[in-house]
Structure formats: C-alpha cells, structure tokens
Amino acid sequence: MQSDGLDYGFDAADKSLRHYLRALWDREFALRPCEQPLTQIRPFISELGIHLPRQYRSHQGQLLKDLYRAAAAHAAAHQAYSHIQFQRNKLKPVQLAIIALLEDARVEQLAIDAMPGLRNLWLQFFDAQGHQGIGVESLLLRLSHALLDPDREDDNPWVMKARRLYKASQQAGSNAESLREIGSLLGNDIGQMRVQFNAKSYVVEPLYRDDNLFLWDSDAPPEEMRMEELAPLANNEAEQYTPKSDLDSAEDQRFRPRETAMADPDRTAGSDADLPTYPEWDERIGHYRPHWCSIIEQVPPAGDAAPLRAELEHHTRLSARLAQLIQARKVGQPVQLRNQADGDSFELDQLIKAHAALRCGQVPEWRIHRKQRLQKRDLSVLLLLDLSESTNARLGEVSLLSLIRQASVLLATAIGQSGDPLAIHGFRSNGRHEVHYLHFKDFNQPFDDVVLARLAGVEGALSTRMGAAIRHARHGMRHCRTEQRLILVVTDGEPHDIDVFQPEVLIHDAARAVGQARAAGTPVFCVSVDPKADPYIKRIFGPHNYVVIDSVEQLPQRLPELYLRLTA
C-alpha cells in the first residue's frame, strides 16, 4: 500500500492531518507543503499556516504516519500557545537555540496537559537509550528529552541546571516571558564550557519540530552568526587576542574600554549598549577573551547615615591621631639630588671631569653641584570594596559589611584631613555582562553626609568578579595627577561568579589584572577578612601585597594602620 511505503508524504497525509488537528484543538489549521528540496528540511510556520515537508525519507510505515502527526501537532501547539515573539537584540545564536527549545517544551507541556497522549507520540522520536554527547547539539537534544519526559534522568550538570531553572520559571503558571532570561543565562554557561556551536549548520532536533523562526521579532540573522569557539579573529588587528604577557600595553591599545557617563542608580543590564567593556584572561587557552566583561556604573541609593556618623564620632580621637600621622608622613624624607646646575655642595666626580675638560680645552659639563630637598609624598588612593552577597554574613550583632563601612569611613576621614586624594568605590557581579561598579565617593568629591548616606544604604548582593573591577578601577585613576597611585581592595573571599564553574579561571584573571596595574604604575594591595585566604590571595596579589585579618572586628582599626604602613 502506498500509505505504508516510502512514497507516503504530505499529499497522502494532508486530509487526515486536518481532521486530526481539528479533533485535538477544535479549530481549523491551514497545512501547506514545504517545497525546498533539502535533506534536512524542518517544518515551519508562516502567516499562511503550517508548512510540512513534502517527503520524509528517514521513516516509513506507521512510524512515518506518526512523524507527520507529531510534526503537525507540535506546530499546532505553537499556533495555539505561542502568543509572543521574543526580541533578538544581542542574543548569540546558541542563546536563540536554547530559548526556542524552552518554548518548544512549554507549548508541548500545555498540549499534554489537555491531551496526555501527545507525550508518547512525541517521545517515540527521541532515542530511548539517550544521547551522552557533550557537544552543544547533543546537550540541546538531551535537554529536550529531559523536559518532555518527567521520568527521565540525566546526570549532565548543564542539563540538570537547565531543567531546574525551567521548572522553577513555570511553577506559578505557564510563562513564556521568563524563558528569554533563562536561555541567555544557559547560553553563557555554554560559552564557559568551551564547546563549539556552529549556528550555520545547526538543525532543530528531533525531526518533527519546526525551525522556530516565527518565534522571533525579525527574520534577520542574529548579530553574532558565527561559530561559538575560541579562535583569534582574523583580518582585524583591533580584535586580536592579546599574547600571553603580564604587561598591559597591548591590552590598553586594543581593548580600551569605551568612555561612558555615570549611570543612573536604577539602571539595569542591557539598558545601554555603550557600556565599558574589558577583556578577561583565560589561563586554559592562554588568551584574553576580548570585550568579555561589561561594567555597569551606579551611584548607590542613600540610606540613614546616622549610625555611621555616630560611629565616626566615637572614634574621633583615633581619626585625629591617624590624620596627624598621615600629615607627618607627607613631609617626607631628605633626598640628595645629584648633578645639579647649582646647589649646597660640589659633586666630586663631576667636578673632576669638569676640571679635566678645561685642561683639554673642552667645554665642561657644569652640572657639578649636589643639593638636598625633602621628598613630599604625592599619592592618590582608591578604596575598592567587595560588596558581594557574602558580606551580609553576621558576626554576632553586626554584619561583615557594617565593619567594612566603619573601616572605610575611619580611613576616609583620616585621609581627607591630610589632603590626599581619595575615592571609595565598590563592586559586585551577576555574570560577565553585569559587573556592577558603585561610586560612593570620587576623587573630586568631598567626604560628607552624601557619601556617608551612600555607604549606609548599600547592601551585599551577587558575586565577585574581581579582575574586571580592578581593571576598571585602574582605568578610572588615569586622570590622577599625583606621582603615585594605589588601589586598596577590601574583600572577604575568592573571586567567583554565576557563569564560571571553575574558580581557578577568575583567580588567574584577577592576578593578571593586578600585574597589569602594577606594570602601569598603580600597585594593588589587598586586605582580606577570610581566614582561609592565604593560598589564593597570594597567587592574586603576590607574597608582599596583601594582609589577612583573622579577627574581622579589628578591621576598622587595622585598615588605617595598614594604610600608614603602605605609605611609609
């Protein structure tokens, strides 16, 4: 019979499929054949209706009939339940594929809720033994299978995370809007896993599913239609990866972040396409990933400054004493200046050379004097605070963040009385695209109640992408006109972020950022309140550029003392 052979196709299935869909959804669906002679053609949806392949060469017999039913039912589920179009914006191809896959799962679940038999119809086109590959295509197929079959177990961490996020997003009811954020996050995870995704050759699996192009607000190809792989960008010197080096001259020339005005406090990720970006070092491949981290600058909302003001008044004597010590250090030490045109005494070697030149009939070098002057310390300091979620930890009646606030206020007051330029900034991150950089006090601002209110209002949140924050801090100090510059980092833990599964990656990157700052004349010193910090802090800042305070309650007193030691 024709219907049981390889010749069974759209023309033979058309009438029965229309009746089938009418019985399922009690409505009419327009069916049309796909005319493209492609071996990997997939169904698609347009304004004209559901387009199904004229022939499926991969199946025959009853399974071929079921394939047409599965394809028609899946596309009909989209027409019945997919009522919004997703915006492409700057989504990567792999993110587009993941979001479309999640929408496939959502509409199929809605159809199954109304007609439970559809689950078995669709499941027969998945490999019952499952796929164990870890390529992007294999992971996407594994996720599709896991979302369709609630009893299926998959031990892949990415699939498990995707399944968990999807289920959480749908607990309060079917919600298509949440899928874009989840897909974007899972796509970032794929990027961190260093697996390749060829958007040009990717075909939606399994076979019955449509190409999902109708889900998007535009038929134009995505902005980044390229392979998601690590390779230098040829024929574009401005985008080449920086060679392995501790110096940052090449990095500054090639990856100089774009200038941007300070952002609004309520600014959200993605609200401005012109965010400053910085590269990030990946030790595993020995390259920088260009424009990898985006900085979102913010001014924190004001809080109640009264507790901080009271704490400052409690330490008035200590603050005054610290200011005196800092001022005394500014007087400096005597320095001998040699080979001067005038001075207090002769430079013996130069005097002999001048006398010999005269005896030979030559014009001597008259820089034969030596003089003494006091070398005044000329220093700008940027206090960079880690504001991640872990700083909310309670230490008895106070939090770690409150102690960091007190230490910052005490140090700022002392430095402010001495006249040294000081800025207080903070950082936290929510993945590489959202490195929040908070401005409490800039160099040209006084230390007043406005600054105190900003410090009082901030709370710990998110994660710690330290390398990007240090790069932005160093870049922000480029306008300092002092002879010396210092970045003082206060943190409570090692670098980490939600889109990085191996902490070593961000430790190596932070070490690179510190080395680049030092090479540019801006040393970075770290104060850690993590008792277990020595192993990783030493790797980041070097053996002599950090201190671990075991008793964090001492932080408000110890931080100013450390500053005096550093500026001695």
Side-chain angles (χ1 to χ4, degrees):
M1 292 176 57
Q2 184 183 17
S3 62
D4 291 331
L6 291 174
D7 293 334
Y8 182 84
F10 177 83
D11 293 336
D14 184 17
K15 186 176 181 180
S16 64
L17 288 177
R18 293 176 192 273
H19 293 310
Y20 177 67
L21 296 180
R22 187 187 307 117
L24 292 178
W25 273 278
D26 194 24
R27 56 177 281 193
E28 296 291 335
F29 290 89
L31 300 180
R32 295 178 179 274
C34 301
E35 300 295 344
Q36 296 93 327
L38 299 177
T39 58
Q40 291 185 316
I41 191 66
R42 290 294 185 271
F44 65 91
I45 300 172
S46 73
E47 295 81 357
L48 300 178
I50 298 171
H51 300 253
L52 299 175
R54 190 174 287 279
Q55 294 286 337
Y56 278 112
R57 299 296 184 185
S58 56
H59 296 73
Q60 56 183 316
Q62 184 59 44
L63 194 58
L64 180 56
K65 291 182 179 181
D66 287 345
L67 178 56
Y68 271 104
R69 291 194 186 99
H74 177 83
H78 273 304
Q79 288 200 324
Y81 304 122
S82 291
H83 301 308
I84 67 169
Q85 284 189 309
F86 298 100
Q87 294 183 349
R88 289 180 183 271
N89 290 347
K90 289 191 173 183
L91 290 173
K92 296 180 180 179
V94 68
Q95 293 171 324
L96 299 178
I98 295 171
I99 295 169
L101 182 156
L102 296 175
E103 176 65 2
D104 284 339
R106 188 186 72 87
V107 300
E108 285 188 348
Q109 185 58 52
L110 288 173
I112 291 169
D113 290 343
M115 297 156 282
L118 288 175
R119 190 189 306 275
N120 290 332
L121 173 66
W122 286 322
L123 274 177
Q124 63 183 319
F125 298 101
F126 288 88
D127 184 356
Q129 300 300 319
H131 292 264
Q132 299 304 315
I134 58 174
V136 177
E137 292 80 1
S138 296
L139 289 175
L140 294 180
L141 186 55
R142 292 171 67 171
L143 177 58
S144 296
H145 200 170
L147 294 179
L148 180 59
D149 185 357
D151 298 326
R152 180 169 183 78
E153 296 183 359
D154 194 310
D155 59 0
N156 180 270
W158 184 85
V159 174
M160 294 170 63
K161 177 180 179 180
R163 195 178 194 177
R164 183 177 67 255
L165 292 176
Y166 170 78
K167 287 184 176 180
S169 72
Q170 307 299 305
Q171 281 184 346
S174 186
N175 181 6
E177 288 83 355
S178 63
L179 302 183
R180 192 181 191 280
E181 180 180 356
I182 296 173
S184 178
L185 175 62
L186 294 173
N188 289 338
D189 291 346
I190 289 289
Q192 293 297 316
M193 292 159 60
R194 316 303 188 224
V195 289
Q196 297 181 358
F197 178 67
N198 191 337
K200 296 180 180 179
S201 63
Y202 172 68
V203 179
V204 177
E205 295 288 351
L207 190 62
Y208 71 83
R209 290 190 174 178
D210 59 89
D211 61 9
N212 286 321
L213 290 180
F214 85 101
L215 293 175
W216 303 97
D217 59 353
S218 170
D219 289 333
E223 279 190 30
E224 300 188 32
M225 183 59 76
R226 52 174 168 75
M227 289 191 68
E228 295 292 307
E229 60 181 345
L230 299 172
L233 306 178
N235 301 322
N236 189 350
E237 183 178 356
E239 294 292 337
Q240 290 289 339
Y241 287 94
T242 306
K244 196 169 186 177
S245 170
D246 283 330
L247 299 179
D248 66 333
S249 57
E251 178 202 5
D252 282 346
Q253 293 170 6
R254 298 175 182 176
F255 310 121
R256 179 68 68 188
R258 296 183 293 272
E259 299 293 339
T260 183
M262 190 175 297
D264 184 83
D266 297 326
R267 180 183 193 166
T268 57
S271 63
D272 188 349
D274 195 30
L275 297 176
T277 61
Y278 292 88
E280 187 169 87
W281 177 259
D282 193 323
E283 183 70 16
R284 294 167 297 183
I285 61 172
H287 285 294
Y288 283 101
R289 297 179 65 87
H291 304 295
W292 195 245
C293 297
S294 299
I295 299 291
I296 300 176
E297 295 188 274
Q298 297 174 325
V299 176
D304 182 9
L308 279 180
R309 176 62 66 185
E311 187 68 29
L312 183 60
E313 292 175 356
H314 177 70
H315 292 292
T316 300
R317 295 183 61 183
L318 177 60
S319 178
R321 176 58 179 160
L322 290 171
Q324 292 175 358
L325 292 174
I326 293 175
Q327 187 65 38
R329 294 283 174 85
K330 295 186 69 175
V331 175
Q333 300 294 326
V335 176
Q336 295 289 338
L337 301 180
R338 307 180 64 180
N339 302 334
Q340 302 295 306
D342 59 75
D344 306 320
S345 60
F346 287 112
E347 184 72 43
L348 184 58
D349 291 343
Q350 293 300 110
L351 184 62
I352 293 174
K353 291 180 180 178
H355 183 71
L358 288 173
R359 294 289 298 269
C360 296
Q362 300 175 355
V363 178
E365 169 59 62
W366 291 111
R367 294 181 179 273
I368 59 175
H369 295 86
R370 176 189 299 180
K371 62 182 177 181
Q372 178 176 293
R373 71 174 177 87
L374 294 177
Q375 184 181 34
K376 294 183 179 181
R377 185 173 52 79
D378 190 17
L379 175 67
S380 297
V381 182
L382 193 155
L383 186 59
L384 186 59
L385 308 179
D386 174 3
L387 301 173
S388 59
E389 174 67 31
S390 56
T391 60
N392 292 325
R394 305 295 297 182
L395 303 170
E397 297 182 355
V398 297
S399 67
L400 174 58
L401 182 58
S402 67
L403 294 176
I404 292 176
R405 289 195 193 102
Q406 294 175 23
S408 303
V409 167
L410 190 59
L411 178 61
T413 303
I415 294 178
Q417 294 179 29
S418 73
D420 281 342
L422 171 73
I424 305 177
H425 297 165
F427 70 97
R428 55 196 178 199
S429 61
N430 186 34
R432 67 184 181 91
H433 292 300
E434 296 183 44
V435 181
H436 299 264
Y437 194 89
L438 286 70
H439 293 253
F440 299 100
K441 178 189 179 305
D442 288 325
F443 287 108
N444 58 350
Q445 293 179 309
F447 186 75
D448 53 17
D449 286 340
V450 174
V451 177
L452 285 175
R454 291 173 182 171
L455 285 168
V458 73
E459 295 293 339
L462 307 176
S463 304
T464 312
R465 210 174 195 108
M466 189 179 293
I470 291 174
R471 289 186 177 93
H472 193 61
R474 181 192 34 114
H475 184 70
M477 297 190 76
R478 67 195 184 281
H479 297 308
C480 294
R481 298 298 179 229
T482 55
E483 293 182 3
Q484 296 175 296
R485 297 183 295 272
L486 173 67
I487 297 174
L488 186 57
V489 178
V490 181
T491 183
D492 71 321
E494 64 182 319
H496 69 283
D497 212 339
I498 59 171
D499 55 357
V500 180
F501 302 109
Q502 298 175 327
E504 291 286 322
V505 173
L506 294 184
I507 290 176
H508 284 296
D509 176 65
R512 283 276 167 160
V514 170
Q516 292 159 357
R518 186 179 300 117
T522 306
V524 185
F525 191 89
C526 178
V527 177
S528 175
V529 293
D530 178 10
K532 301 178 181 179
D534 287 274
Y536 65 83
I537 286 290
K538 182 183 294 186
R539 294 170 58 189
I540 295 174
F541 295 94
H544 307 296
N545 298 306
Y546 76 93
V547 64
V548 176
I549 300 178
D550 295 326
S551 178
V552 294
E553 293 83 357
Q554 299 178 5
L555 181 62
Q557 289 78 29
R558 291 289 305 279
L559 187 59
E561 294 174 3
L562 289 169
Y563 175 79
L564 289 172
R565 194 184 85 187
L566 289 173
T567 58

